Amino acid sequence: AMGAYTKLILENKPPLIISKGLSDFEELLKDTIFFRAHRQYLINIKKIQELIREDGGYLRMSDDSKLPLARNRKEEFFALIWPDH
C-alpha cells in the first residue's frame, strides 16, 4: 500500500504502481490465496517460505523479502494456514 496507490510485486516482472488502494485489491481477491498480513501488505500465501517469530513476527517470502505479520492478524493467519489446529 502506498496511500491511494498500490505497488504490485509480480514474479519475473517489474513492479507495477496501480491507482487503486490496497483495500480494493483485498475485496477483489477475498476468498482466494491472498491474505492481508499487515495494513501495507496483501500477500500470496503460497509464496510464504517461513514464519520468523522474532520482532513480533515476520513472513519470509519466496523472493527472500521479509514482511511483517500484524499482531491483530496472527490468529486469522494461523487459522488459514493450519485450519485443523
Side-chain angles (χ1 to χ4, degrees), residues 9-11 47 49 60-67:
I9 307 295
L10 307 168
E11 270 189 337
K47 298 298 178 180
Q49 295 295 309
R60 187 174 61 82
M61 305 303 289
S62 60
D63 66 354
D64 279 333
S65 61
K66 284 178 32 177
L67 305 179

Side-chain angles (χ1 to χ4, degrees), residues 33-37 41-43 45 69 73 76-77 80:
I33 59 172
F34 287 86
F35 176 73
R36 184 84 176 250
Y41 300 102
L42 184 64
I43 63 167
I45 61 172
L69 177 59
R73 305 295 308 210
E76 185 180 351
F77 173 75
L80 179 68

Side-chain angles (χ1 to χ4, degrees), residues 5-80:
Y5 295 89
T6 299
K7 181 178 182 180
L8 297 179
I9 307 295
L10 307 168
E11 270 189 337
N12 304 316
K13 294 185 180 180
L16 299 172
I17 306 295
I18 307 294
S19 61
K20 286 188 179 275
L22 193 57
S23 59
D24 294 319
F25 287 98
E26 183 178 24
E27 179 64 26
L28 181 68
L29 297 169
K30 71 180 178 184
D31 301 323
T32 67
I33 59 172
F34 287 86
F35 176 73
R36 184 84 176 250
H38 187 273
R39 65 181 172 84
Q40 290 185 309
Y41 300 102
L42 184 64
I43 63 167
N44 180 337
I45 61 172
K46 292 189 178 235
K47 298 298 178 180
I48 298 170
Q49 295 295 309
E50 176 183 19
L51 170 64
I52 302 167
R53 294 183 180 263
E54 61 192 40
D55 297 326
Y58 285 87
L59 301 169
R60 187 174 61 82
M61 305 303 289
S62 60
D63 66 354
D64 279 333
S65 61
K66 284 178 32 177
L67 305 179
L69 177 59
R71 277 185 216 133
N72 63 339
R73 305 295 308 210
K74 284 183 182 180
E75 189 173 317
E76 185 180 351
F77 173 75
F78 290 126
L80 179 68

